[in-house]
C-alpha cells in the first residue's frame, strides 16, 4: 500500500516549511511514517518539494491545544522554530477558519509557545524567556559581566568575538561592522560545528544601525543560509541588548524582511511579530518515497546529530521496529503493537479498502479545495 501524503507549504520571510496536519490521526510519533531520508527528499529543492523544514501539527500531550514537531532540511529535529511556528499558526487559522483574535497554546521541545493571530494578519508569538546559562544553550563559553556567555573563538584561523543565547535552540551571535562583507558560507559553516557548541549552533552576524534597528544574516543549523530565522532574531536582540548595543525593542532586518522583537521587562519573555503566508497545498507523489531503501537523490548524508534528535531511521531491527512505519504489509510483531497505533492503522486500512484510487484522488482534491476556498473567503470583506 502506498501512502498519499498531503501537505501545505507556507513561508515566513522566505523561511519555508511543509506543514502536515496530524491533529486527528492519533497520538503516535509516526503517524506520517516520516524518516530523516523522507524529510531530506521532501525538502530537496530539485528532486522534492523544496523547503527549509517540515512541521507536524500533532495532538497535545501536556494540556496545550496541539503539539508541534519540526525537522530541519537535513532530517534533524530542533527544539523550536520561530518562523515555523508563525507558519503553523497561519496554517491552523486557514485550516480551521479562525480569525483574529485567536491564540494557540503549542507544545514544543522548548516548552509551551503561544502564537497569536493579530488583526493586521501578522502573527505575534510569545517565545518565552531566553536561555542564558552555558548548560541550557548549550555552550562551552563562560558567562561574562554582560550576563550571557561570551568569548573569543578561533574560527578558520581568525579570532572572533562571539556571544551565545538560547531560545530553546542554540544561537551564536556575532556583532560586526559590515554584515554585507561577511563570508557567511565559510564562517557560518565553521561556527555551526565549533567545539564551543556541543549541539552545533545557528549562527547570526548582526550589524547595529541604531539601537532599535539591526540588520542580520543567518546561517541555520541543519539548513545552511536561510532568508530568516525567528528564534535567531530573538536571540540576537537579547544578546545585543545585554551587550549594550540595542534597546529591548527593535526591528531586525533579515534577508527575507523585517521582524519586530520585543524583550518584555516585566515577564522576561521575548515577543516576535512578523508575517506568515500560504504558498500552496499539494499531494506528494508516492514515487518520491520509493521503496525506502535507496539513497535520496541529491541530499548528502548529514553529520550525526547531537542534541537535535534524529527521526527513526529505516530498516530498524525487530526489537526496535515501529509498527506504523515498518508493518505496512502486515504486522511483524503483533504483541508489540500499541493499541492506539493498531486502531489508527485499522481505520486507515478500512478507509483505503473502501475507496477506489479515483475516490482517494477526489478526497484529497476536495480537502485541498475546501482549504483554498476557506482562505479566499477569509480575505474577502464581510458583506453586511
Ligand atoms: C531558525 C529557525 N528557522 C527559526 O525561525 O527559528 C529555526 C529552525 C531550527 C534551526 N535550524 C535549528 O535550531 O536547528
Amino acid at each position: 500500500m502506498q501512502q498519499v501524503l498531503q501537505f501545505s507549504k507556507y513561508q515566513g520571510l522566505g523561511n519555508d516549511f511543509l506543514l502536515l496536519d496530524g491533529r486527528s490521526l492519533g497520538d503516535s510519533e509516526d503517524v506520517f511514517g516520516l524518516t530523516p531520508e523522507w524529510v531530506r527528499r521532501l525538502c530537496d529543492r530539485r528532486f522534492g518539494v523544496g523547503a527549509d523544514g517540515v512541521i507536524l501539527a500533532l495532538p497535545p500531550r501536556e494540556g496545550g491545544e496541539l503539539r508541534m514537531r519540526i525537522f530541519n532540511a537535513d532530517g534533524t529535529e530542533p527544539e523550536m522554530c520561530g518562523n515555523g511556528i508563525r507558519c503553523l499558526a497561519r496554517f491552523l487559522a486557514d485550516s480551521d477558519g479562525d480569525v483574529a483574535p485567536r491564540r494557540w497554546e503549542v507544545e514544543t521541545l522548548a516548552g509551551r509557545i503561544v502564537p497569536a493571530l493579530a488583526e493586521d494578519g501578522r502573527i505575534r508569538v510569545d517565545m518565552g524567556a531566553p536561555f542564558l546559562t552555558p548548560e541550557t544553550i548549550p555552550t562551552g563559553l563562560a558567562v561574562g559581566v554582560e550576563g550571557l556567555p561570551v568569548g573569543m573563538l578561533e574560527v578558520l584561523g581568525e579570532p572572533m568575538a562571539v556571544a551565545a543565547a538560547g531560545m530553546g535552540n542554540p544561537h551564536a551571535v556575532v556583532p560586526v561592522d559590515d554584515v554585507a562583507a561577511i563570508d557567511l558560507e565559510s564562517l557560518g559553516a565553521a561556527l555551526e560545528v565549533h567545539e564551543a557548541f556541543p549541539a552545533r549552533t545557528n549562527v547570526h552576524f548582526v550589524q547595529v544601525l541604531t539601537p532599535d534597528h539591526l540588520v542580520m544574516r543567518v546561517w541555520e543549523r541543519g539548513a545552511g543560509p536561510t532568508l530568516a530565522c525567528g528564534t535567531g532574531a530573538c536571540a540576537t536582540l537579547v544578546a545585543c541588548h545585554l551587550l549594550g548595543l540595542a534597546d529591548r525593542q527593535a526591528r531586525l532586518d533579515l534577508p527575507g524582511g523585517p521582524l519586530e522583537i520585543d524583550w518584555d521587562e516585566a515577564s522576561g519573555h521575548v515577543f516576535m511579530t512578523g508575517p506568515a503566508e500560504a504558498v500552496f497545498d499539494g499531494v506528494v507523489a508516492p514515487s518520491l518515497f520509493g521503496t525506502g531503501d535507496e539513497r535520496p537523490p541529491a541530499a548528502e548524508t548529514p553529520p550525526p546529530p547531537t542534541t537535535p534528535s534524529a527521526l527513526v531511521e529505516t530498516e530498524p531491527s525487530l526489537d526496535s521496529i515501529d509498527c506504523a512505519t515498518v508493518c505496512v504489509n502486515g504486522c511483524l510483531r503483533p504483541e508489540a503493537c500499541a493499541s492506539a497505533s493498531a486502531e489508527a492503522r485499522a481505520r486507515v486500512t478500512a478507509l483505503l479498502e473502501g475507496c477506489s484510487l479515483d475516490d482517494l484522488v477526489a478526497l484529497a482534491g476536495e480537502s485541498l479545495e475546501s482549504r483554498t476556498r476557506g482562505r479566499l473567503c477569509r480575505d474577502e470583506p464581510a458583506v453586511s
Side-chain angles (χ1 to χ4, degrees), residues 30-96:
D30 300 298
V31 283
F32 296 106
L34 285 184
T35 66
E37 181 182 314
W38 285 17
V39 169
R40 292 194 287 271
R41 288 181 184 207
L42 285 169
C43 291
D44 189 295
R45 294 193 183 278
R46 293 185 184 274
F47 290 90
V49 180
D52 291 325
V54 174
I55 293 175
L56 310 185
L58 297 166
R61 286 186 169 168
E62 290 160 3
E65 182 170 342
L66 71 151
R67 189 160 58 93
M68 171 176 107
R69 293 185 75 192
I70 153 118
F71 299 97
N72 288 319
D74 71 357
T76 56
E77 180 173 12
E79 302 81 352
M80 232 306 270
C81 177
N83 283 317
I85 205 163
R86 289 202 321 279
C87 289
L88 174 67
R90 183 77 265 170
F91 169 72
L92 295 172
D94 289 346
S95 300
D96 302 344

Side-chain angles (χ1 to χ4, degrees), residues 204-228:
H204 312 290
F205 294 94
V206 57
Q207 180 181 346
V208 178
L209 302 178
T210 60
D212 64 355
H213 190 185
L214 318 183
V215 52
M216 60 186 282
R217 290 173 69 197
V218 177
W219 175 276
E220 267 190 48
R221 177 179 67 167
T226 62
L227 294 182

